[in-house]
Amino acid sequence: MMAIPGVAVLALIYESSTSLVYRGHNEQNNQPVIIKLIKEDYPTPEELNRYKREYEITANLSLLDGVVKVYKLQQVRNSLAMILEDFGGESLKIFMASQKFTILGFLTTAIKVAETLGEIHGKNVIHKDINPSNIVFNPATGQVKLIDFSISTASNLENIPNKNPNFLEGTLAYMSPEQTGRMNRVVDYRTDFYSLGVTFYEILAGQLPFPTTDPMELVHCHIAKQPVPLAEIVPEIPKAVSDIVMKLLAKTAEERYQSAWGLKADLESCLFQWQTSGVVSEFPLGSQDISDKFQIPQKLYGRQREVETLLAAFERVAATNNRGYRTDNSQISVIKKESKSKKEIPLSVLARGQHKSRSEMMLIAGYSGIGKSAMVKILDKPITRRRGYFIWGKFDQYKRTIPYSAVVSAFSELVRQLLTESEAQLAVWREKLRSSFGQNGQIIIDVIPEVELIVGAQSPVAELGPTESLNRFNLVFQNFIRVFCQPEHPLVIFLDDLQWADSATLKLIELMMTDEATQYLFLIGAYRDNEVSPTHPLMMTLETLR
């Protein structure tokens, strides 16, 4: 057990992948303390900075009764230890393993948690990891405190990138839809309400709303599947209490509570009824739910027809049977979006004529800033449901001389996602990629260096003339793309600002979309139609495809 100057370490009480938590006491005054220590003997600078940030956020909240107090951050050899108060509590996770809350006990505890959340949000802190392990409860005194601000942010808004579900910050079973990075929405303080809803659900029902352990399936459940209402699982739970929890579990932040004080008021109404009459009658929720923060809705408005067109195209591409599939199932579509009047423009749908292929290309045309990229992110839900891959690349008007820049950027991100998967899964990808490359793997590594981390070093390729080299590259890259275009995981590629695409990329797009061997590929392009003419290379490529 590690020795910490001035602190007697008594027993290990919790171990995670990054931290060790001990009980101990201060050797000077015998005061009981909790010691939270970085698990690694030689932590990285990022881990050290994370601990320092957690200490600073917790210290700034230490005046709140509902937040565990932090005494100091102490250097321990090459690592850091955080010394926190020990008020004799245990996590709700441990408490629930042996005991069950009564309705009265739940409402009393829930009100205290809601009040603490309101105070934390008032300090512009988002916890981002509310779950039973991070709510500490002392049954003897009734004290309830929040702990673990390791991934908290002292900010009103945060963008979450699309990551492998195994490497998302937070606890996936309790994570809000927007915190998964697959909702095209920024994360604000209301993410904590969803996580709190999952926690309340587990306390009352004795199970999670989505009990699956598969990470991708769990992400899909959070963003698209409605949980069974609490009152249907445990009939003795008052309908009003069930409705409060279900409101917290709304998929979009706008449909949840907008303040912790509104939530607290509704819980207090339930508690008053329960204490005075032993029953809780239904009442309108949120009557006192007034937010002190101005929030612009993140919903996409006025694009229903275009969204339905995109979703239908993806479903056609991802379909694994031929029933109901049109003869001209591989097509090119153009959605035009008018920037001034916002009127819908009829779609121009043109069949490509490759009857055997399941690949489609769709273009979205419109002025800069009109919302082309935002609309494409709507596909996150169905892509997640189909376990597909969504990659994104953007052309730069100052990098037109760099061939394949956006395509390489998109696939580099995809390879980085693969590198976060298990060793067993990486072995599968290694075999697939090597098989697709043959003796030409170095060609892909030259443009996407991360691939070498999966397949290992490759043999040098033979020198060819310019035309032959280009043809060889296109052939190898097509084989590379096909690895990811499979019925079990269709591929969606979004290329933004196509008006700045280089000629090599346009040729590659033409080859991809005329290759009958490429299946389950949905290519989406966005371009500014006011910046292209009929003789623009992009328009000429589209005409060739038509």
Side-chain angles (χ1 to χ4, degrees), residues 225 308 379 424 430 518:
K225 191 174 180 181
E308 288 174 357
L379 287 172
R430 186 176 300 115
T518 301

Side-chain angles (χ1 to χ4, degrees), residues 355-371:
H355 303 308
K356 297 179 182 179
S357 178
R358 285 188 188 278
S359 55
E360 292 198 20
M361 177 179 183
M362 186 162 287
L363 298 169
I364 306 174
Y367 282 46
S368 172
I370 198 173

Side-chain angles (χ1 to χ4, degrees), residues 412-413 415-416 419 445 447-455:
S412 294
E413 178 57 36
V415 173
R416 284 191 287 270
L419 287 168
I445 292 172
V447 292
I448 308 175
E450 294 90 343
V451 171
E452 187 172 6
L453 298 174
I454 299 178
V455 300

Side-chain angles (χ1 to χ4, degrees), residues 12 18 22 52 91 110 123 135 153 156 163 199 218 241 252 255 258 261 266 324 351 406 411 496 515 520:
L12 177 69
T18 58
Y22 295 92
K52 290 175 183 176
S91 72
K123 300 282 189 181
I135 301 174
T153 178
N156 289 327
K163 293 182 181 178
T199 300
L218 195 48
V241 174
T252 59
E255 295 174 327
Q258 301 304 295
W261 310 118
D266 284 352
F411 277 96
D496 203 0
D515 177 24
Y520 304 101

